Amino acid sequence: MEGFHDLLKMLDGMLGGAWWFPYVLLGTGLFFTIYLKFPQVRFFKHAWQVVTGKYDKKSSEGDTTHFRALTTALSGTVGTGNIGGVAFAIFLGGPAALFWMWATAFFGMTTKFVEVTLSHKYRVKTADGTMAGGPMYYMDRRLNMKWLAVAFAIATVISSFGTGNLPQSNNIAASIESTFGFDPLVVGSILGVLLGLVILGGITRIAAVTSKIVPLMALIYLIGAMAVIFSNLENIGPAFASVIGDVFTGSAATGGFLGATIAYAFNRGVNRGLFSNEAGQGSAPIAHAAAKTDEPVSEGMVSILEPFIDTIIICTITGLVILSSGVWKEKHQNVFDRSDMMIVAGTYTDTDESDRQALYAYINDLDTSTVEPFNGEIQIVNGKSISSGYTLLNARSVAEEVKFTFGEDEDLFTGKLKVVDGGLIKDNIVVSGKSLIHSASLTALAFTKGFFGESGKYIVSIGLLLFAFSTAIAWSYYGDRAMTYLLGPRSVMPYRVVYVFAFVWAAVSDTTLVWTLSAVAIVVMTLPNLLGIFLLRKEMKESVNQYWDDFKKEHKS
């Protein structure tokens, strides 16, 4: 199993973590934006009119309305990435990461417009009478690339577990346990039953539920966020300035935050942008294919709104909460994760400018770095180190008030700890102290800096529950449509049953392996989809022009 995990990490580095992937993703959106003459701007107003049902026709085929197709797709994209993902992007890439999320969303509005239109155009009615669509259908029916369609569908099934199911359940259970103290198995079991009741009813029930959950969770989250933003109104201007300024200068090594290079902020921002709004991944077109309309382009118009709502609105709000509250560059008491922790040779402090710059170069793998990882032993007495000649870094900051414990009772450790290449060898030692924090923990802390005080963290927990649960609902539909393509309608019910049981299991399990597998599967979905829509660029342009000409003739004032 360890060898398989290493293989997945290698593939993830070659694909999703590769330097060229953000350029391919952003470049495709840029190309279609210019090629189709900025449809995200030209048709923005029209998209809102379509989603309200203004131009609906009762005779149109489909399983759900424009609005419910939109909320189903949004429930798949508005998830933990909007809470923890933005915080993680800022933590890794600094404020500039938020700018690149905006860029990804702006150009992603066009990418999603194209992929949804083409997927809806080549959808089919299955043997059970429901609609099935997605990139696999245009790859098969239009491009005659059956092998590519099969690969995409398999990757979609894998991602439905790795993206929409297991991590969501795990995040919900961990958040509810830390906030309210409920047992993860109980939480997973209750939500598993609710999930089953929703998804066993198919797209009609899924769309009905998501049409209620999405507006509710957005409202709750917005209220909590505004409470922080208005409490820190004087910091909003500087927050925006830091986002724009860091695009050109890179995140500086200031305070506890050791920053990131311009290239790193770009990479993190674009990647988190994709994980947030999924533009180009090919997942949302599966939900939109169920919409009742005879005009594929009109459903493409609706999808323009997704990256706008998901990233430009919700992710921006999260980013402003984090930046304006100032907690993103302050040290807080926490337990150190081994993946965030490194021990370097020499004594450094982040209050000294030269030390900060040296550590900045080391963390960002710059050629100018003179810092080396520590190798040797550390003597610990009653949980405190009495050794010198090393510095413990955690979460891109110099750790303070470090304590070493072991066992379930957190007994203070006394003895020697071996360090090899900057990492502790003993796995049963718990290291804690003050350092920067990231992900959902950072967002939760930021929400306590508003009118609601400490109660603000409950809004994040409730928001995380609703966001993550709705994501699990939407991805179950993506997976069952992929199963329909691969093995037919009879495979859907077994898939749904396994999906529900996996959701319960993940509440109390380590999903690291599955998350890595999903990261690879996401790229296997995205690259074929981007290739496919590029090959059909001329058809897309003709379809848009024809739709708009016909629309203007039909609705002459």
Side-chain angles (χ1 to χ4, degrees):
M1 184 63 73
E2 186 175 345
F4 180 60
H5 199 176
D6 290 340
L7 175 62
L8 286 178
K9 290 178 69 175
M10 182 188 72
L11 289 174
D12 184 34
M14 292 171 58
L15 297 173
W19 65 268
W20 48 264
F21 183 65
Y23 291 94
V24 172
L25 182 67
L26 208 57
T28 303
L30 175 61
F31 167 78
F32 275 107
T33 293
I34 296 172
Y35 187 68
L36 299 177
K37 300 177 181 177
F38 289 82
Q40 69 271 61
V41 177
R42 288 199 294 145
F43 302 132
F44 188 74
K45 179 181 178 181
H46 181 66
W48 286 107
Q49 294 173 331
V50 173
V51 81
T52 59
K54 184 176 182 179
Y55 306 113
D56 283 359
K57 296 177 182 178
K58 292 183 179 179
S59 60
S60 298
E61 282 196 314
D63 302 321
T64 189
T65 65
H66 286 299
F67 175 73
R68 288 188 170 184
L70 174 66
T71 55
T72 299
L74 274 173
S75 68
T77 59
V78 178
T80 55
N82 299 79
I83 294 178
V86 177
F88 194 54
I90 292 174
F91 162 73
L92 289 176
L98 186 59
F99 174 86
W100 293 116
M101 292 182 76
W102 293 341
T104 305
F106 180 75
F107 295 117
M109 291 166 75
T110 302
T111 305
K112 190 156 283 194
F113 172 51
V114 176
E115 63 182 355
V116 167
T117 298
L118 292 172
S119 294
H120 193 285
K121 185 175 183 178
Y122 292 100
R123 67 180 182 171
V124 299
K125 180 177 282 189
T126 64
D128 62 5
T130 58
M131 291 295 181
M136 56 274 199
Y137 285 95
Y138 79 70
M139 291 172 185
D140 188 341
R141 301 180 67 208
R142 177 64 179 85
L143 294 174
N144 297 315
M145 294 173 143
K146 178 79 174 179
W147 63 272
L148 193 64
V150 169
F152 178 88
I154 292 173
T156 301
V157 174
I158 294 172
S159 289
S160 73
F161 285 96
T163 298
N165 184 318
L166 307 180
Q168 306 300 334
S169 174
N170 199 265
N171 283 334
I172 291 173
S175 175
I176 296 300
E177 182 184 29
S178 63
T179 304
F180 301 104
F182 295 148
D183 184 85
L185 181 59
V186 174
V187 174
S189 299
I190 293 174
L191 292 179
V193 171
L194 294 176
L195 179 66
L197 292 174
V198 174
I199 71 174
L200 293 177
I203 184 59
T204 302
R205 191 179 299 168
I206 288 173
V209 172
T210 57
S211 68
K212 302 294 190 301
I213 289 181
V214 170
L216 174 64
M217 67 188 192
L219 178 62
I220 292 173
Y221 195 69
L222 182 63
I223 291 173
M226 288 300 107
V228 179
I229 289 173
F230 281 108
S231 293
N232 299 278
L233 209 53
E234 70 280 3
N235 296 330
I236 297 300
F240 273 113
S242 68
V243 171
I244 304 302
D246 281 0
V247 171
F248 304 102
T249 62
S251 298
T254 56
F257 181 66
L258 295 176
T261 62
I262 296 174
Y264 195 75
F266 168 75
N267 186 285
R268 293 299 93 188
V270 172
N271 272 289
R272 297 315 305 183
L274 168 64
F275 296 147
S276 177
N277 59 56
E278 297 175 13
Q281 186 176 338
S283 52
I286 300 173
H288 285 284
K292 293 179 180 179
T293 180
D294 299 323
E295 294 287 353
V297 176
S298 72
E299 191 58 28
M301 298 284 184
V302 172
S303 70
I304 285 176
L305 303 175
E306 278 177 43
F308 177 79
I309 295 171
D310 173 272
T311 306
I312 295 180
I313 293 181
I314 299 179
C315 286
T316 297
I317 287 173
T318 302
L320 288 178
V321 167
I322 293 168
L323 294 175
S324 66
S325 66
V327 296
W328 66 285
K329 55 182 179 180
E330 297 173 351
K331 296 178 183 179
H332 305 276
Q333 187 70 33
N334 68 107
V335 175
F336 301 164
D337 191 302
R338 291 296 174 94
S339 62
D340 288 335
M341 189 174 68
M342 60 183 76
I343 302 173
V344 298
T347 304
Y348 298 92
T349 173
D350 46 28
T351 60
D352 181 85
E353 178 62 25
S354 61
D355 285 356
R356 286 201 302 268
Q357 294 301 328
L359 293 172
Y360 173 87
Y362 176 74
I363 286 177
N364 290 288
D365 295 321
L366 301 183
D367 294 336
T368 56
S369 174
T370 57
V371 179
E372 297 288 341
F374 180 79
N375 286 280
E377 289 185 334
I378 300 173
Q379 180 67 49
I380 311 296
V381 176
N382 292 328
K384 301 291 183 180
S385 171
I386 60 172
S387 299
S388 59
Y390 76 93
T391 300
L392 195 152
L393 307 177
N394 188 68
R396 306 181 75 87
S397 61
V398 176
E400 300 174 2
E401 301 177 18
V402 179
K403 183 172 67 174
F404 298 84
T405 58
F406 68 98
E408 295 182 0
D409 297 328
E410 297 187 356
D411 296 326
L412 296 177
F413 176 76
T414 296
K416 292 182 178 180
L417 292 177
K418 189 175 182 180
V419 180
V420 177
D421 290 330
L424 288 178
I425 298 302
K426 276 195 174 185
D427 292 330
N428 62 338
I429 298 298
V430 176
V431 186
S432 61
K434 285 188 175 181
S435 73
L436 296 181
I437 59 176
H438 60 76
S439 299
S441 298
L442 177 58
T443 307
L445 182 64
F447 267 69
T448 65
K449 305 301 180 181
F451 297 135
F452 296 121
E454 288 299 314
S455 298
K457 64 183 179 182
Y458 298 119
I459 293 177
V460 173
S461 292
I462 294 170
L464 185 63
L465 188 157
L466 293 174
F467 282 24
F469 187 66
S470 66
T471 297
I473 292 174
W475 271 94
S476 72
Y477 180 68
Y478 299 159
D480 85 35
R481 293 300 86 181
M483 289 297 296
T484 299
Y485 175 79
L486 291 169
L487 300 174
R490 289 185 178 180
S491 66
V492 171
M493 190 55 69
Y495 164 81
R496 290 173 180 169
V497 172
V498 172
Y499 192 87
V500 171
F501 275 105
F503 187 84
V504 176
W505 169 80
V508 293
S509 303
D510 181 6
T511 60
T512 303
L513 180 63
V514 181
W515 184 254
T516 307
L517 178 62
S518 177
V520 175
I522 286 172
V523 183
V524 176
M525 289 177 68
T526 304
L527 293 180
N529 184 48
L530 296 181
L531 172 63
I533 63 176
F534 180 77
L535 293 175
L536 296 176
R537 62 192 181 281
K538 291 182 180 179
E539 179 177 332
M540 179 64 194
K541 191 171 190 176
E542 291 170 359
S543 297
V544 174
N545 291 339
Q546 185 64 55
Y547 168 84
W548 198 235
D549 289 342
D550 292 344
F551 177 82
K552 287 189 291 186
K553 289 177 183 178
E554 186 178 347
H555 296 87
K556 279 184 178 179
S557 56

